[in-house]
Amino acid sequence: AQKVTQAQTEISVVEKEDVTLDCVYETRDTTYYLFWYKQPPSGELVFLIRRNSFDEQNEISGRYSWNFQKSTSSFNFTITASQVVDSAVYFCALRNYGQNFVFGPGTRLSVLP
Amino acid sequence: EPEVTQTPSHQVTQMGQEVILRCVPISNHLYFYWYRQILGQKVEFLVSFYNNEISEKSEIFDDQFSVERPDGSNFTLKIRSTKLEDSAMYFCASSKAAGGSTDTQYFGPGTRLTVL
């Protein structure tokens, strides 16, 4: 069975602080794909990153970085120097050989000015 | 940049009525999906569609639900007899493929369905 856990329900930080959102997944497949999506207050789902199970290289995109650790089944997301516009719900998702995504419950990030 | 569009943005209906939610996927995408998100909860997969047929569906997608691609651009979700618990945000998504580097699903803005 596949499962995605985001243990942090809500996080509040002050602007310019760094923040890490945790994601732990479960799957029996050796080939799978991990994603992060952002859901701002307006409600849409915005794609942030895709990572496949064979690529453990960490990725940095501007203020965003992702740390994929197969040994701990984690795919954590760090925002450096957070901004108020980063306030949103962030979902981690897993897809295996099938087509459907399994989403985690989401982490609500509030960045305070 | 191409995007997935959905109409209407908000649909209010009476319990027992039929509703059709519409989506226009990204034009060169071949796989289409519907998800729902009950207010404050996580996003849940409903169904995926490829080559004019359902390729995968969840337990949520029971006989009350159906999907259709009536023409070359639209992808619809029909709920035959709505129930109160169908109230949710419904997201459409599309992807170029279902594997490899082009399987990223791009989501529409959602349709908020309210069943009274």
Side-chain angles (χ1 to χ4, degrees):
Chain A
Q2 304 162 79
K3 186 178 177 182
V4 176
T5 302
Q6 296 178 254
Q8 305 146 309
T9 307
E10 292 192 38
I11 302 176
S12 285
V13 298
V14 177
E15 209 169 15
K16 297 183 184 170
E17 283 184 7
D18 299 348
V19 58
T20 295
L21 310 182
D22 297 334
C23 172
V24 173
Y25 61 91
E26 292 176 32
T27 179
R28 292 180 184 164
D29 297 302
T30 55
T31 300
Y32 52 89
Y33 305 87
L34 296 162
F35 299 79
W36 276 94
Y37 283 86
K38 174 182 179 180
Q39 187 175 44
S42 48
E44 72 273 25
L45 286 165
V46 179
F47 165 76
L48 295 178
I49 190 171
R50 173 192 182 280
R51 174 67 75 226
N52 74 50
S53 53
F54 299 111
D55 182 2
E56 282 196 75
Q57 200 169 16
N58 292 328
E59 179 153 342
I60 298 175
S61 175
R63 296 184 298 108
Y64 296 169
S65 62
W66 290 269
N67 182 359
F68 178 28
Q69 299 271 351
K70 279 181 83 169
S71 59
T72 56
S73 298
S74 65
F75 186 43
N76 296 337
F77 172 32
T78 297
I79 303 174
T80 303
S82 59
Q83 299 176 1
V84 172
V85 293
D86 296 328
S87 296
V89 180
Y90 290 86
F91 291 97
C92 181
L94 166 71
R95 187 183 77 73
N96 65 356
Y97 64 89
Q99 291 162 23
N100 96 63
F101 276 29
V102 174
F103 280 79
T107 296
R108 180 176 299 280
L109 173 65
S110 298
V111 181
L112 308 173
Chain B
E1 188 175 318
E3 57 184 20
V4 177
T5 59
Q6 290 184 243
T7 54
S9 56
H10 190 190
Q11 174 91 47
V12 181
T13 190
Q14 294 289 327
M15 191 170 59
Q17 295 295 304
E18 174 183 288
V19 294
I20 297 176
L21 310 182
R22 291 183 167 79
C23 168
V24 179
I26 294 173
S27 62
N28 62 346
H29 285 188
L30 300 176
Y31 292 80
F32 315 114
Y33 314 83
W34 283 101
Y35 292 81
R36 78 170 186 192
Q37 184 182 30
I38 295 170
L39 187 63
Q41 298 186 25
K42 67 179 179 181
V43 179
E44 300 172 293
F45 170 77
L46 292 178
V47 66
S48 58
F49 190 86
Y50 169 71
N51 201 26
N52 282 319
E53 59 183 32
I54 291 173
S55 46
E56 197 169 341
K57 62 181 181 179
S58 71
E59 309 95 48
I60 303 168
F61 194 87
D62 61 23
D63 292 343
Q64 294 297 317
F65 292 90
S66 63
V67 288
E68 194 178 31
R69 188 153 161 83
D71 53 44
S73 58
N74 289 285
F75 179 51
T76 62
L77 174 70
K78 182 192 290 186
I79 309 175
R80 287 191 184 83
S81 178
T82 50
K83 303 187 281 276
L84 295 177
E85 54 265 37
D86 293 326
S87 294
M89 181 75 91
Y90 288 82
F91 290 102
C92 174
S94 69
S95 64
K96 279 186 184 176
S101 62
T102 53
D103 68 339
T104 299
Q105 295 182 17
Y106 293 91
F107 286 74
T111 291
R112 179 166 298 286
L113 176 65
T114 301
V115 182
L116 303 175

